[in-house]
Amino acid sequence: MRVDRAGTDLPDVSGLANQQAGPTILRILVGAHLRRLREARGISREKAGYAIRGSHSKISRLELGRSSFKLRDIADLLSLYGIRDEAERSALLALAEQSNEPGWWDEFKDVTPEWFEPFLGLEQGASVIRGYDVQFVPGLLQTEQYATSVIRLGHPDLPTAQVERRVTLRMRRQEILERHDPPRLWMIVDEGALRRQIGDPATMRGQLKHLTTMARRPRVTLQVMPFSAGHPLGGGPVTLLRFAEDELDDVVYLEQLAHAIYVTKAAELAPYWHFMNQLGVRALPPDDSVEMIERIMAED
C-alpha cells in the first residue's frame, strides 16, 4: 500500500484506458481492479480460479500483475463478478490486451537479468523516482562513458558487444527524463561516489559536469551526502518509486549482487521513506551540492 496516501474506491476503468502507461503498469492496474471487483463480491480466489480453469495461485499472479492476461480469462472473471456493462467490460479487456504488448526493454532480454525486468517496467511508469547510492552515480544520471566503465568494472570478462548492449539499455532508460512530462527525480549521492574514479580522469570530469547540468533541470533534485555528515544508517543503494495512479502501491527496489528485492507492503515501506527523508535532511541542499561537485571538478 502507499505510504501517507489515502485509499481510493474502485477506479474508473474507462479513464484508465486512455493512459499512456507501459505494459508493466497496465498489468498491475488491471490486476488491482480485478482484485477489487472480486473482493467487493466476496468471492474467494479458489472460486475465481475454478471459473477460469486455474487455481487460487493463478488468480494471485493475475491480481498482482505478475503474468500476462488471456482475454478469455478476463471475460469469464468479469461475468463471475457480475460486470454486465459492455463499456466497462470493453475498457478492461482493451487494457488487458494492451498490457500484453511487450515493452521496449524486451529487446534487451539477452543482457537483462530476469529479476531486473520488472524494475524496468516500473521505472518507466513512475511519476516520482527517489534514490540513494553510495558507490556509483545513479544509472539515470550516468554518461555513456561512465556507464561503460561501471559495466566493465562489474563484468570484466564480458565481450565488447555485450557491454555496448548494456550501455544502450541504460541510455534508453534515461529517455524518460526527456519526456514532455518527465517523472520527478530526486537522487542523493554519497560524496565517495563523486571522488572514486571510475574510468579515466576524462570520464569522471564528464560525469561530474553532466551531474551539474542535470541538477539544474526543474524536475531533478540532486543532493550530495558529504563525508562530514557521518555514515548514514542503511545498506546498499535504495530506489523508491511512486506512481500517479492511486491504484498502484509504492515500490522500494533493493538491488543486490545477483538478485533484487521488491518491497510493497506498507509496514515495510515506511522505514525506507523515513530513511530517505532523513537522508534528504542530512545531505547538502541542492545548490550547495552543485557547488561541491564543481569544487571536486576543480581539484583535478
Side-chain angles (χ1 to χ4, degrees), residues 23-37:
T24 302
I25 301 302
L26 289 178
R27 280 198 302 272
I28 298 174
L29 282 171
V30 172
H33 189 68
L34 289 172
R35 174 177 57 79
R36 289 186 170 114
L37 288 175

Side-chain angles (χ1 to χ4, degrees), residues 23 36 40 135 158 192 258 300:
R36 289 186 170 114
Q135 298 188 70
L158 205 63
D300 294 339

Side-chain angles (χ1 to χ4, degrees), residues 228-254:
S228 60
H231 191 285
L233 297 176
V238 179
T239 302
L240 299 93
L241 305 172
R242 170 159 285 184
F243 308 90
E245 299 83 1
D246 287 329
E247 294 77 24
L248 295 181
D249 296 331
D250 297 336
V251 175
V252 167
Y253 174 75
L254 305 171

Side-chain angles (χ1 to χ4, degrees), residues 106-181:
D106 274 31
E107 66 180 272
F108 294 94
K109 279 184 176 293
D110 59 316
V111 294
T112 305
E114 185 176 351
W115 47 263
F116 188 57
E117 289 181 24
F119 176 76
L120 291 172
L122 293 169
E123 181 182 65
Q124 293 293 304
S127 61
V128 178
I129 304 173
R130 294 181 65 180
Y132 170 63
D133 208 319
V134 181
Q135 298 188 70
F136 304 108
V137 170
L140 289 178
L141 296 175
Q142 292 181 6
T143 64
E144 185 173 343
Q145 294 75 19
Y146 183 92
T148 300
S149 298
V150 169
I151 291 170
R152 287 196 180 281
L153 184 65
H155 306 276
D157 299 323
L158 205 63
T160 299
Q162 292 292 294
V163 172
E164 292 175 349
R165 290 275 292 161
R166 289 171 183 250
V167 172
T168 300
L169 170 61
R170 193 160 300 182
M171 296 301 103
R172 284 286 300 276
R173 287 170 54 199
Q174 296 180 6
E175 291 180 6
I176 61 173
L177 303 178
E178 306 302 327
R179 293 174 180 169
H180 174 69
D181 185 22

Side-chain angles (χ1 to χ4, degrees), residues 137-138 140-142 177-178 184-189 194 206-224 284-294 297:
V137 170
L140 289 178
L141 296 175
Q142 292 181 6
L177 303 178
E178 306 302 327
R184 180 78 169 82
L185 184 68
W186 182 358
M187 292 292 173
I188 301 176
V189 185
L194 305 178
Q207 178 61 74
L208 295 177
K209 179 63 176 176
H210 180 65
L211 286 177
T212 63
T213 299
M214 296 300 295
R216 293 185 172 93
R217 291 196 175 192
R219 294 187 63 81
V220 175
T221 299
L222 177 63
Q223 291 183 262
V224 175
L284 294 175
D287 288 345
D288 293 347
S289 295
V290 171
E291 290 180 4
M292 169 172 271
I293 297 173
E294 291 175 338
M297 293 171 60

Side-chain angles (χ1 to χ4, degrees), residues 14-74:
S14 61
L16 294 178
N18 295 321
Q19 297 187 35
Q20 299 300 311
T24 302
I25 301 302
L26 289 178
R27 280 198 302 272
I28 298 174
L29 282 171
V30 172
H33 189 68
L34 289 172
R35 174 177 57 79
R36 289 186 170 114
L37 288 175
R38 178 181 60 77
E39 291 177 346
R41 272 66 177 184
I43 297 174
S44 67
R45 287 193 179 93
E46 287 76 11
K47 183 175 180 180
Y50 181 80
I52 60 171
R53 302 151 295 280
S55 63
H56 71 281
S57 60
K58 180 177 180 178
I59 295 297
S60 180
R61 291 194 301 274
L62 290 177
E63 292 180 350
L64 291 172
R66 294 178 179 172
S67 63
S68 58
F69 300 111
K70 293 182 178 179
L71 298 188
R72 174 186 173 186
D73 289 343
I74 303 301

Side-chain angles (χ1 to χ4, degrees), residues 92-111:
L92 194 63
L93 286 168
L95 267 184
E97 185 174 21
Q98 186 178 345
S99 75
N100 287 335
E101 294 294 323
W104 62 259
W105 51 90
D106 274 31
E107 66 180 272
F108 294 94
K109 279 184 176 293
D110 59 316
V111 294

